[in-house]
Amino acid sequence: MLPGVEAFSRWEWPPKVDRSSASESKKRPGLKDQSNSYKRRKNSESWTVVSPELTDDGQAWRKYGQKMNLNSRHPRCYFRCTHKYDQGCKATKHVQQLQDTMYKTTYYGNHTCRDIIKGPQLIMGASDPHKYWWIPNHQTTVSSEAGSITNYNKKDHQGSHFSSSS
DNA sequence: GTCATTTGACCTTC
DNA sequence: GAAGGTCAAATGAC
């Protein structure tokens, strides 16, 4: 199984959790310097993929959080690169389930880790994370919030090259 | 034993 | 003050 696939295979709504004592002693007595943490990525580089299914992008993602969205019945899940600490990879992604069969995935930052494995639907281009070859099974929307917005339409652009002008 | 997931708390931004 | 985003302890799977 490819890295990152496991997280998706365990996708459950709602997730089953039965931990009676997990909520105890959740205090964080010794908060370290948070001057560089929790920063919202207001103008950071990001791009979004909307797809009817959760596609494996070939990256090794690790889930680090989940939040309910006020405007949605479905939670938003937060993933970071597994190699965040060992290779300093800053890539993260947020997955918001829009509908029962529609997912919006927003990617933040570039993968700087070397352990990149090609996914079945996405092939990385050179060193530019905005240059992908998309081979969609469905109509998929790809947008780059840091640059131009491109709507990917299978009918019109199947196999065509997506490139952000950011 | 190691690593991923869950989940409430905490921090930052709006 | 609310919402979004991240941290870290507890727990489970392999």
Side-chain angles (χ1 to χ4, degrees):
Chain A
M1 183 181 293
L2 290 171
V5 176
E6 183 178 3
F8 293 145
S9 67
R10 295 183 179 179
W11 204 267
E12 295 180 355
W13 306 103
K16 61 178 192 299
V17 175
D18 186 12
R19 295 164 51 217
S20 58
S21 61
S23 60
E24 295 182 0
S25 62
K26 275 286 186 178
K27 303 299 183 181
R28 300 166 65 184
L31 280 178
K32 57 186 176 183
D33 183 8
Q34 299 288 349
S35 59
N36 290 326
S37 300
Y38 305 135
K39 296 291 187 181
R40 286 194 187 182
R41 302 160 189 265
K42 184 177 180 180
N43 294 317
S44 62
E45 199 172 31
S46 67
W47 59 101
T48 302
V49 176
V50 180
S51 175
E53 64 181 11
L54 286 170
T55 57
D56 172 27
D57 55 16
Q59 304 295 335
W61 296 105
R62 175 174 171 176
K63 186 177 181 179
Y64 66 83
Q66 176 174 305
K67 298 278 286 191
M68 287 301 300
N69 191 323
L70 276 180
N71 297 323
S72 174
R73 295 181 296 110
H74 308 287
R76 174 181 295 172
C77 297
Y78 301 89
F79 297 86
R80 63 166 174 81
C81 181
T82 301
H83 307 293
K84 178 180 180 178
Y85 297 115
D86 57 1
Q87 294 187 34
C89 184
K90 297 181 177 62
T92 62
K93 74 173 181 181
H94 302 171
V95 178
Q96 171 71 61
Q97 187 177 12
L98 302 176
Q99 304 170 11
D100 289 340
T101 57
M102 187 65 70
Y103 302 89
K104 176 183 177 181
T105 304
T106 304
Y107 295 86
Y108 297 93
N110 304 337
H111 273 280
T112 57
C113 56
R114 293 176 303 174
D115 185 14
I116 296 175
I117 302 173
K118 288 189 299 184
Q121 294 186 318
L122 177 63
I123 300 172
M124 301 293 290
S127 59
D128 187 342
H130 282 139
K131 294 179 179 178
Y132 294 144
W133 284 95
W134 284 90
I135 310 174
N137 294 325
H138 317 275
Q139 176 175 331
T140 303
T141 300
V142 180
S143 64
S144 172
E145 296 177 4
S148 63
I149 296 176
T150 302
N151 290 323
Y152 191 98
N153 190 305
K154 177 181 179 181
K155 181 175 65 178
D156 297 332
H157 300 89
Q158 184 169 13
S160 62
H161 187 208
F162 167 72
S163 176
S164 169
S165 59
S166 60

